[in-house]
Amino acid sequence: MEAKESSLLNAKLSRRTFVKASAATAVVVGAATTNPWSPAMTALAEVEKSDIIASSDEKVFSGACRGNCAGGCFLNIHVRGGKVVRTSMREMPNPDYNRICVKGLTHMQRIYHKDRLKYPMKRIGERGAGQWERISWDEAVTTIADKWQEYQREYGKEAFAIYWGSGNYGVLSGQGMGCTTNRLLNVTGASNISMTVDAAHGHSAGNALGWGPNFTLNELADLKNAKTILCWGANPVISQQQSTHFLMEAKENGTTFIVIDPIYNITASKADKFVPVRPGTDGALALGMMNIVVRENWIDVPFLKASTVAPFLVKEADGHYLRLSDLGPLAEGQRDDIVVRSAGGKMGLPQEITDPVIEGSFEINGHKVNTAYTLLLQRIAEYPPEKAAEICNISVSQIEEITKIYATNKPSTIYQYFGIDHYVNGHYSIFDIYALAMITGNLGKSGAACGMGETLGINFTNLAGTLFPAGATGPSLTMSATQMDSVMNEHKYGNKDVNVKGIYITNANVVANSAERKYTLDWLNKMEFIAVADMNMNETAQYADILLPVSHWFEQEEAFCNYSTHPYVIFQEKAIDPLYECKADFEINKLIAQKLGYGEQFNLTEMEYLNLWLDNDEARRLGITLEALREKRILKCLPGDLYINGENGVFGTPTGRAQFYVENPAPNMNYDQQWDIEKERLPYWEPPNEVWHENPLTKKYPFTIISDHVRFRTHTQWWDVPALLELDPEPILKISSEDAAQYGIKTNDLVKIYNDRGHVVMKAAINDGLPQGVLTAPKGWEKHQFREGHFADLSSRVVNKVCANSAFFDVLVAIEKL
């Protein structure tokens, strides 16, 4: 391990050096070298001294910041005298990906927090009352295992559930691909309660392009090759701050940068053009843009023919594609492949007819069929730009202008995240945007992509070997968290009888992060038994019957590759031993499995499990072995010198093509609900559930409220870090000056925000980046940090019947000045 010298003095601040120079932000954590609880801004002298005069016994370990913030920063962990004293940026193989943010600089205050969980405990008072008794690990794990076995024996496998979230994306102790929590779920046959968060984008991306190793975007370093970038439903300056420089450098190099968002935020302030779309109407805008593309003949016909489902023939009778079996009997062993039609009427496989028709309606062997593209054109025709402009509350000229730029100044990239995801109609809008990229051919090539770019690790991970050891049956039942009232009150999940009695929660602050918090508390408190594993006493931990203290990320060996915006897998070295009696989730999972009688399936060390995780041909082809990873500590896990999603026009869908028509749509959560298949096959749009100006509820609750990401938290993580609380001491409601004047509100006034589900009190701040009728407030705060009420009480658990997904932005409220 080699220490890398860094200086905080005389830093030259340019965009290129901003991330490195921002190590100066170590003033907020420098006190950790002496007293981690002294005020952050008084520690500058100590930080400078500790940087300039390195202690001779300092050791530097490699690590990853692996919360779900899309960062995945590669860190130096500086240890002196057996204590972590600071973190710093560690060089990546491609320095364009070097990064560290203020959260990554404050890990010491998480490790040494005075209120960190230290020992296993059991509840001795009422749930949530904060009355605990210290117990041994053996008693804690035995209690969990006894309850687990008792419930499963009496009520069936599904009677005990696991709820796991995104608090840590490690493989061994987190929720990364191939993680041991998933293995525990599959081995024990417990129920899986899905948190149904951020699901709309994944659902539509899977239908449109399939999930690739970098989700659906090209490697971020490729953004410089785009001539146009639409930043649509993302605020990367705040939410993906480690990656923003790629967008800004592209703009400096001549790329036209367009931001589409309801709010004029910091990212919008950097745009060449800003489009203030009405909340929840993004899909209508995409459909209107496609109408113009077709009208102006800006479609990419070769791409449509070769790389999309455009030439596939859809049967009117059942909505399925015409196949060989529809033309006549199949030969023995012959696959029933999809067929296309030539202009002369010849039928054959796509590889045989390389110039198929993409428009038209035909009768073939008694089947009435339309090309998928013909069906798309019919849907697009429903949204002329005038209609889209009225829905989106923008001008026709704006739609015309950005469409021309996007469709003609190519290659173009649409950079998305979860801004559009958080509405009940979100998956429709996201699918519409993917279709826009398809018809313009802005996919599968350098500079042309659409969606989100986060390394998943699915290409080199041995999922079968890690998740399904001998005897593993998989979860007995997977349930949406939004249906848990039926489970707990009626003992039904859809038509299935189910009696869930106990739950184990890990890597998830389910109470503070879920939509409609009071609903979550209601079903959770109806559990007879709750076990929680976490690092601090967050809102969910307070409701545990058994509470397990989890070690910090730096107190364990680990590998990380999930949901980061760089193309690398990182090895986490163990920098210090776990404090107090804390244990890594990997060890906790093993202990629980052993008590349950599944010790054989968990009889592996950390390194044996990682070896199993990397036991596949793609990992070997990429040169990713455990030996190499431990030696280099970071290895590239995306194929190619510069990864292009869908390169050569091949995508990870059932057809191998980009799909604007979905032959066999299905709900992401099945609870025997009724749904309309025709809505799911083609691009479609419908108004949001609540935040629609024609909704009668707006008379009572006239404001749309959108939850802000902030720089200082990843969801609720970092909520208790003193240095960050000094920078961001309390939640603030933002309101436009017009709305503030109407209610007599000034900056720093206290306001009450409320609806039928709950209320919250916080200070207000006037912000003219907001349109009238739209408010924003930050997510990530715990109940005790609000003056009254809770922001998470305002949100709704209502979900789309096909895509169960928490609609955090689809919320109406009223306000009053206090």
Side-chain angles (χ1 to χ4, degrees):
M1 292 161 291
E2 297 178 0
K4 185 172 180 64
E5 290 294 329
S6 63
S7 173
L8 302 181
L9 305 179
N10 303 316
K12 296 180 180 179
L13 290 175
S14 66
R15 177 168 290 111
R16 258 312 189 198
T17 60
F18 175 75
V19 174
K20 183 178 287 189
S22 71
T25 314
V27 297
V28 302
V29 296
T33 60
T34 52
N35 172 10
W37 312 117
S38 58
M41 306 311 290
T42 64
L44 178 58
E46 193 65 32
V47 173
E48 291 176 346
K49 183 172 70 174
S50 68
D51 272 333
I52 296 169
I53 308 171
S55 173
S56 60
D57 71 342
E58 180 169 283
K59 296 180 180 179
V60 181
F61 299 84
S62 73
C65 200
R66 52 187 185 271
N68 188 14
C69 68
C73 300
F74 192 31
L75 304 179
N76 287 312
I77 305 163
H78 300 258
V79 175
R80 298 178 197 158
K83 295 182 179 180
V84 176
V85 295
R86 66 184 182 106
T87 53
S88 64
M89 183 194 74
R90 194 176 182 98
E91 295 281 344
M92 292 205 186
N94 179 352
D96 285 348
Y97 291 105
N98 289 351
R99 74 271 295 274
I100 192 170
C101 81
V102 64
K103 297 191 296 290
L105 290 165
T106 61
H107 276 290
M108 293 76 66
Q109 292 195 347
R110 299 192 76 197
I111 296 171
Y112 300 110
H113 196 289
K114 56 185 174 53
D115 295 327
R116 180 177 164 182
L117 296 181
K118 300 176 176 64
Y119 318 105
M121 295 187 290
K122 70 177 180 181
R123 175 177 62 85
I124 57 174
E126 294 294 319
R127 279 184 181 162
Q131 295 175 297
W132 305 94
E133 178 179 281
R134 179 179 173 181
I135 58 176
S136 69
W137 268 101
D138 184 67
E139 181 180 348
V141 175
T142 299
T143 302
I144 294 170
D146 286 350
K147 292 290 186 182
W148 201 316
Q149 290 173 323
E150 174 190 339
Y151 296 145
Q152 287 193 327
R153 184 170 53 248
E154 186 169 352
Y155 302 103
K157 288 282 191 180
E158 67 272 12
F160 201 93
I162 296 179
Y163 189 115
W164 43 311
S166 61
N168 172 5
Y169 271 113
V171 175
L172 298 172
S173 294
Q175 312 309 315
M177 293 292 179
C179 68
T180 59
T181 301
N182 202 345
R183 185 182 180 97
L184 182 66
L185 178 71
N186 293 333
V187 165
T188 63
S191 293
N192 177 28
I193 300 179
S194 170
M195 58 183 176
T196 58
V197 172
D198 297 342
H201 202 134
H203 181 82
S204 291
N207 283 334
L209 303 182
W211 286 29
N214 196 47
F215 203 59
T216 58
L217 210 60
N218 298 348
E219 185 179 333
L220 285 183
D222 180 61
L223 286 171
K224 64 179 179 291
N225 297 316
K227 290 185 178 179
T228 300
I229 296 174
L230 268 60
C231 183
W232 200 339
N235 185 10
V237 173
I238 298 297
S239 299
Q240 300 94 45
Q241 55 192 286
Q242 303 92 334
S243 306
T244 301
H245 74 92
F246 289 111
L247 295 162
M248 296 299 99
E249 287 160 8
K251 183 178 183 292
E252 288 180 353
N253 290 335
T255 299
T256 302
F257 185 54
I258 300 170
V259 171
I260 303 172
D261 201 287
I263 298 165
Y264 186 77
N265 51 37
I266 298 177
T267 302
S269 73
K270 307 300 179 184
D272 296 301
K273 298 187 183 298
F274 170 59
V275 183
V277 67
R278 193 197 304 268
T281 64
D282 305 85
L285 175 57
L287 285 160
M289 292 174 70
M290 283 190 275
N291 189 292
I292 297 168
V293 169
V294 172
R295 185 192 73 195
E296 300 297 331
N297 198 28
W298 290 331
I299 62 173
D300 188 331
V301 175
F303 183 81
L304 285 171
K305 289 183 176 182
S307 298
T308 77
V309 297
F312 292 177
L313 302 164
V314 180
K315 294 181 289 184
E316 290 185 4
D318 60 10
H320 291 164
Y321 292 131
L322 195 73
R323 285 177 161 78
L324 286 171
S325 62
D326 296 308
L327 304 181
L330 296 175
E332 185 177 352
Q334 186 178 19
R335 293 194 329 177
D336 196 13
D337 288 334
I338 296 168
V339 294
V340 296
R341 184 183 187 275
S342 72
K346 182 182 177 182
M347 303 298 300
L349 301 176
Q351 58 267 33
E352 297 168 344
I353 299 177
T354 56
D355 189 25
V357 295
I358 61 170
E359 282 192 67
S361 302
F362 313 97
E363 184 167 329
I364 300 171
N365 202 26
H367 298 282
K368 291 183 178 181
V369 298
N370 301 281
T371 66
Y373 185 61
T374 295
L375 297 178
L376 177 65
L377 291 177
Q378 293 171 3
R379 180 58 51 83
I380 291 171
E382 299 172 13
Y383 287 86
E386 293 78 13
K387 180 179 179 180
E390 182 180 359
I391 291 171
C392 300
N393 198 31
I394 56 178
S395 68
V396 171
S397 61
Q398 280 181 300
I399 301 177
E400 299 268 4
E401 182 183 26
I402 64 171
T403 303
K404 182 176 182 180
I405 295 169
Y406 174 73
T408 65
N409 188 41
K410 302 196 300 186
S412 299
T413 289
I414 298 176
Y415 179 96
Q416 293 178 279
Y417 260 81
F418 293 115
I420 302 168
D421 176 283
H422 295 335
Y423 299 89
V424 171
N425 69 344
H427 79 285
Y428 296 129
S429 289
I430 292 165
F431 191 65
D432 299 340
I433 292 169
Y434 277 110
L436 172 63
M438 293 178 210
I439 68 169
T440 56
N442 278 309
L443 291 169
K445 53 184 78 78
S446 181
C450 178
M452 289 169 44
E454 291 189 336
T455 304
L456 298 181
I458 56 176
N459 57 316
F460 69 92
T461 300
N462 178 9
L463 289 175
T466 53
L467 300 186
F468 290 94
T473 61
S476 55
L477 181 65
T478 295
M479 299 176 286
S480 168
T482 61
Q483 301 299 314
M484 289 303 294
D485 57 340
S486 296
V487 173
M488 302 309 298
N489 295 331
E490 302 166 24
H491 304 301
K492 286 278 191 181
Y493 186 71
N495 294 326
K496 180 178 175 57
D497 293 326
V498 60
N499 200 343
V500 179
K501 296 291 187 179
I503 188 171
Y504 176 58
I505 301 171
T506 178
N507 281 289
N509 188 355
V510 54
V511 175
N513 278 318
S514 296
E516 200 168 330
R517 173 180 164 275
K518 289 180 181 177
Y519 155 80
T520 302
L521 276 173
D522 181 66
W523 69 257
L524 191 62
N525 268 323
K526 287 173 181 171
M527 292 282 178
E528 287 187 5
F529 178 75
I530 301 171
V532 175
D534 216 306
M535 203 175 73
N536 56 35
M537 186 64 80
N538 58 36
E539 282 194 58
T540 302
Q542 293 170 29
Y543 290 89
D545 299 309
I546 295 292
L547 190 52
L548 305 178
V550 176
S551 59
H552 183 274
W553 303 342
F554 300 165
E555 297 169 347
Q556 55 196 249
E557 287 188 304
E558 183 61 277
F560 167 79
C561 70
N562 276 138
Y563 297 100
S564 61
T565 48
H566 58 69
Y568 300 105
V569 54
I570 294 172
F571 185 73
Q572 169 73 60
E573 295 180 297
K574 184 178 179 181
I576 59 173
D577 289 329
L579 297 182
Y580 316 112
E581 291 185 9
C582 298
K583 294 183 185 295
D585 289 277
F586 175 78
E587 187 176 354
I588 295 171
N589 289 339
K590 286 182 65 173
L591 289 172
I592 292 173
Q594 288 164 0
K595 287 287 185 180
L596 290 172
Y598 299 105
E600 186 177 345
Q601 289 95 327
F602 278 80
N603 188 24
L604 298 113
T605 66
E606 287 92 336
M607 295 308 102
E608 286 171 339
Y609 195 87
L610 290 181
N611 257 325
L612 180 64
W613 179 63
L614 294 173
D615 185 16
N616 63 91
D617 291 340
E618 179 64 9
R620 285 183 280 271
R621 191 183 71 79
L622 291 168
I624 305 175
T625 64
L626 182 58
E627 181 181 7
L629 185 59
R630 295 186 75 178
E631 177 186 353
K632 301 289 186 181
R633 303 185 187 92
I634 186 167
L635 295 170
K636 188 169 185 185
C637 60
L638 291 182
D641 294 331
L642 189 64
Y643 174 77
I644 306 299
N645 184 63
E647 195 168 20
N648 302 317
V650 178
F651 297 91
T653 61
T655 62
R657 293 171 173 239
Q659 301 181 155
F660 53 74
Y661 183 88
V662 182
E663 184 182 21
N664 295 300
N668 68 337
M669 291 285 166
N670 187 356
Y671 44 95
D672 302 304
Q673 69 273 38
Q674 299 296 311
W675 54 283
D676 185 350
I677 194 171
E678 296 306 320
K679 287 183 179 181
E680 310 305 321
R681 281 185 159 150
L682 283 161
Y684 173 80
W685 181 83
E686 65 185 21
N689 179 60
E690 279 193 16
V691 296
W692 183 234
H693 63 288
E694 296 178 2
N695 183 353
L697 193 62
T698 58
K699 294 178 181 178
K700 184 178 182 181
Y701 300 120
F703 289 96
T704 294
I705 190 163
I706 294 174
S707 58
D708 269 342
H709 270 198
V710 293
R711 297 175 185 269
F712 308 110
R713 280 167 195 80
T714 299
H715 307 298
T716 54
Q717 292 192 78
W718 281 269
W719 64 270
D720 57 350
V721 172
L724 298 183
L725 288 171
E726 190 169 334
L727 296 171
D728 185 31
E730 66 178 301
I732 301 291
L733 177 81
K734 296 176 187 174
I735 184 171
S736 71
S737 57
E738 294 89 349
D739 289 329
Q742 180 181 347
Y743 285 81
I745 295 170
K746 297 182 176 61
T747 293
N748 288 327
D749 283 347
L750 286 180
V751 293
K752 178 181 179 181
I753 309 102
Y754 62 94
N755 58 24
D756 288 343
R757 293 179 290 268
H759 77 280
V760 65
V761 174
M762 61 180 79
K763 284 184 178 178
I766 296 173
N767 185 312
D768 283 327
L770 275 66
Q772 282 187 266
V774 176
L775 310 170
T776 68
K779 63 179 298 185
W781 295 82
E782 296 276 297
K783 185 179 188 304
H784 73 275
Q785 296 176 309
F786 292 105
R787 292 170 182 259
E788 186 180 310
H790 201 300
F791 181 54
D793 288 342
L794 301 175
S795 53
S796 168
R797 68 181 177 93
V798 174
V799 296
N800 183 277
K801 290 182 179 179
V802 171
C803 183
N805 178 56
S806 298
F808 295 109
F809 296 176
D810 209 338
V811 179
L812 289 175
V813 297
I815 59 172
E816 64 179 63
K817 178 182 174 181
L818 298 181

